[in-house]
Amino acid sequence: MNEGSYILVNGSFVSVAEYRFSLKESDGFLFSERIRAVRSAFPFFRETLELIRQKLIIFNHSFPELTDNDGAELKRQMERTLTKNKQFLGAVLTIRFWISDQKIQYSIQSAKHENAGYGLNDKGLYVTVFDTIRKSVSSLSNTSLGSELNWRIAGNYPKDVASDEFLLLNTDGQIIEAVGSNVYLIKGRMVKGASIYSGAYADISRTLMLKLFGRLKLSFSESDGITEQELKEADEILLVNAIDGIRWVVGFEGKRYFNNTIRKINELFVSSLVS
């Protein structure tokens, strides 16, 4: 993704080439949140806004200037950022919050996405299990706040030439998520995911995915995690998050997967976000 030339900092634009995040600001950093822009729409905006509110509460802060009135001001500032950077088709915006001089500060940065909208990957992903560290269950393990350290660690390890994505384990040795994404297995008319009570990350797309499974009359269940044997016995595997949408997994070790049901799910996913 190509970053825009300007970053919005507390309502004013600064050239990305000239902007500097000071040591003091770095020490006060709270969190960041990303949201997808598809032309003039922000899919999952309501869910992202609620997530921002929840994270602010976790840090014992609020920011009504951006979050009140259904996030109208936040949306306006995101639209300004896209317009300033002339990114009118597909983009990803990163919203950062930090404390400086006892006040909440924010920035919004945009980057052009390679696709204008959500689309299923034509070339399936190959996955492998990352077992160097294992994720423990905590009150934050279902959020990005409690997951990002594991994701960053996994991101610093090289994948073999036949792998595109890592699948992460919990302390019981069961697969619970991919880096930044939920994992779903399809076998027949059954869909299986991993429970947040096993330490699994819960992406904001999850609520929509459960609705789509119901519309297709697919039975959904979740457990303490997914075993490697269940991966090998699955008919189809998909990775899902609100930024990338649905991604089809084609292979795990010597097993290869179809995407017949995944295509139907993806059609509903796209139509529900543009309707």
Side-chain angles (χ1 to χ4, degrees), residues 53 262 275:
R53 287 174 176 153
I262 290 174
S275 59

Side-chain angles (χ1 to χ4, degrees), residues 26-203:
S26 178
D27 288 341
F29 178 75
L30 297 177
F31 65 91
S32 65
E33 197 60 53
R34 296 196 304 160
I35 184 169
R36 181 80 176 266
V38 178
R39 296 180 176 85
S40 61
F42 299 109
F44 297 106
F45 177 78
R46 179 172 52 84
E47 293 86 350
T48 303
L49 177 64
E50 182 58 30
L51 197 56
I52 289 172
R53 287 174 176 153
Q54 291 174 3
K55 289 183 176 181
L56 286 169
I57 290 172
I58 289 173
F59 284 103
N60 196 32
H61 290 290
S62 64
F63 199 9
E65 294 91 334
L66 286 186
T67 61
D68 278 3
N69 300 316
D70 297 322
E73 182 62 16
L74 174 59
K75 184 177 288 187
R76 187 178 78 87
Q77 299 296 355
M78 292 194 303
E79 290 169 342
R80 289 183 64 210
T81 303
L82 292 174
T83 300
K84 182 70 173 180
N85 288 307
K86 299 179 180 179
Q87 294 171 333
F88 304 112
L89 295 177
V92 176
L93 296 111
T94 301
I95 309 158
R96 298 180 178 90
F97 295 91
W98 67 94
I99 297 292
S100 181
D101 298 324
Q102 300 182 331
K103 291 179 57 179
I104 291 187
Q105 317 287 323
Y106 78 96
S107 69
I108 302 177
Q109 189 170 12
S110 64
K112 182 180 178 180
H113 197 281
E114 58 185 2
N115 299 315
Y118 290 101
L120 187 64
N121 51 316
D122 293 325
K123 182 181 178 182
L125 302 174
Y126 289 87
V127 296
T128 188
V129 172
F130 179 75
D131 57 5
T132 302
I133 60 165
R134 300 187 179 193
K135 187 180 176 187
S136 58
V137 180
S138 73
S139 59
L140 294 176
S141 57
N142 66 315
T143 71
S144 59
L145 291 175
S147 306
E148 285 175 340
L149 178 59
N150 298 71
W151 300 343
R152 288 203 300 271
I153 292 172
N156 278 277
Y157 279 76
K159 304 179 185 70
D160 60 50
V161 294
S163 179
D164 301 298
E165 294 286 342
F166 279 132
L167 301 179
L168 276 62
L169 303 173
N170 62 12
T171 51
D172 291 327
Q174 295 178 315
I175 295 160
I176 51 172
E177 64 199 47
V179 174
S181 299
N182 291 148
V183 180
Y184 300 101
L185 309 186
I186 301 174
K187 186 173 178 60
R189 304 298 299 172
M190 300 287 297
V191 180
K192 182 176 182 180
S195 168
I196 61 172
Y197 301 107
S198 65
Y201 168 65
D203 188 75

Side-chain angles (χ1 to χ4, degrees), residues 237-256:
I237 299 178
L238 56 159
L239 310 182
V240 187
N241 66 46
I243 301 298
D244 301 309
I246 294 173
R247 293 180 296 160
W248 159 51
V249 172
V250 70
F252 169 68
E253 296 184 348
K255 172 75 176 186
R256 296 296 178 264

